[in-house]
Amino acid sequence: MRTNWLRSFIKTLVAAGLLAPAAASAAPYDTNLVLNPSFENVDGSGFAADWSGLVDTYAYSQNYTGAAPAGSGDRYWFGGAGVSGQVSSISASQAPIDLSANAAEINAGRVTYDLSAFFSSYRLQNDYAVVTATFRDAGNAALGQASVGSEALVASLPIVNNGTYVDARDWASDATSGLVPAGTNNVLIEIVGTKSAGGTVVDGYTDLIDFQVHLNPVPEPGTLTLAAIGGLGLAAWRFRKRRA
Ligand SMILES: [Ca+2]
Ligand SMILES: [Ca+2]
């Protein structure tokens, strides 16, 4: 009974405009929107929180790679068990980043993104990870995609002696940026790790995944007007000079 009374009271307040119904809050600009982006939040088995699909991580202390990137903590995503003798891929993703409350700025063409991550692999195997951001509309249909990481990137990584292996792979970052497509409602972040036919485990290593959106300023009409006036003045001066 008490709950019913409270519910009708809240309804009355909403109807009277005294209480706004809960609305999605805008995603913050200039901050990493990926949850557990460094895979440091793990359970006792090394499974990364906030990710679904393949959630296995390795510790840098296992010494499978070159030196850890700055600020990368203790762990990274590695890919997981594959199938011996076969090319195989494995993936992880997380709950989509909600940009529905940023729609006005996105549709005005004022929102850009940055996507970056670090990558490495197991020795000379060239297993690799790709991190993808898919821009989706309110019905979750893809409007566009951005990705970092590739087989070519991993193959180009320096080979170093890390004290355990003479042929360990270094880490390197990859980054891309662009305009958030008009109509974007949410962004799905996904990792796909792929291994070649050699080996068994998928060793497409990635860490420090970073996806940010940035709000660009509206051009100031005052500045444009002054520039236009300046340009007109110059044109008039040139015209006079030519006639003189
Ligand atoms: Ca990490
Ligand atoms: Ca492998």
Side-chain angles (χ1 to χ4, degrees):
M1 282 306 276
R2 205 177 150 194
T3 315
N4 283 345
W5 172 85
L6 191 61
R7 212 173 279 152
S8 9
F9 180 63
I10 288 171
K11 253 191 209 163
T12 312
L13 286 180
V14 170
L18 295 172
L19 194 68
S25 51
Y29 292 106
D30 311 318
T31 187
N32 189 2
L33 299 174
V34 180
L35 302 173
N36 197 14
S38 185
F39 308 97
E40 298 303 301
N41 187 6
V42 294
D43 70 6
S45 315
F47 292 154
D50 300 307
W51 292 91
S52 56
L54 190 285
V55 292
D56 275 335
T57 64
Y58 276 157
Y60 285 102
S61 61
Q62 289 170 275
N63 215 28
Y64 292 139
T65 67
S72 59
D74 295 329
R75 307 194 74 87
Y76 56 92
W77 190 88
F78 75 87
V83 180
S84 181
Q86 283 179 28
V87 173
S88 44
S89 292
I90 205 146
S91 65
S93 62
Q94 55 183 238
I97 297 164
D98 185 358
L99 294 182
S100 60
N102 304 68
E105 291 92 346
I106 289 171
N107 294 334
R110 293 180 58 202
V111 181
T112 54
Y113 67 85
D114 281 314
L115 173 67
S116 65
F118 277 79
F119 298 94
S120 187
S121 188
Y122 180 70
R123 305 175 69 185
L124 303 181
Q125 289 188 347
N126 289 344
D127 296 357
Y128 64 97
V130 174
V131 176
T132 302
T134 303
F135 302 92
R136 313 193 305 179
D137 67 14
N140 293 333
L143 299 170
Q145 255 185 357
S147 66
V148 287
S150 66
E151 188 169 16
L153 175 82
V154 161
S156 74
L157 295 174
I159 294 154
V160 294
N161 183 343
N162 69 3
T164 305
Y165 301 107
V166 296
D167 54 2
R169 288 283 185 186
D170 252 340
W171 286 84
S173 70
D174 193 16
T176 188
S177 59
L179 188 69
V180 175
T184 296
N185 172 279
N186 65 82
V187 179
L188 182 69
I189 302 292
E190 191 179 31
I191 315 167
V192 177
T194 301
K195 81 171 191 69
S196 58
T200 300
V201 175
V202 179
D203 297 284
Y205 304 161
T206 188
D207 202 1
L208 296 171
I209 297 176
D210 196 308
F211 178 83
Q212 304 194 14
V213 286
H214 309 290
L215 183 61
N216 298 306
V218 175
E220 288 175 42
T223 314
L224 281 180
T225 307
L226 281 177
I229 289 169
L232 279 175
L234 187 68
W237 178 77
R238 279 192 181 138
F239 180 72
R240 274 205 306 271
K241 216 177 157 206
R242 247 201 329 268
R243 279 169 63 93

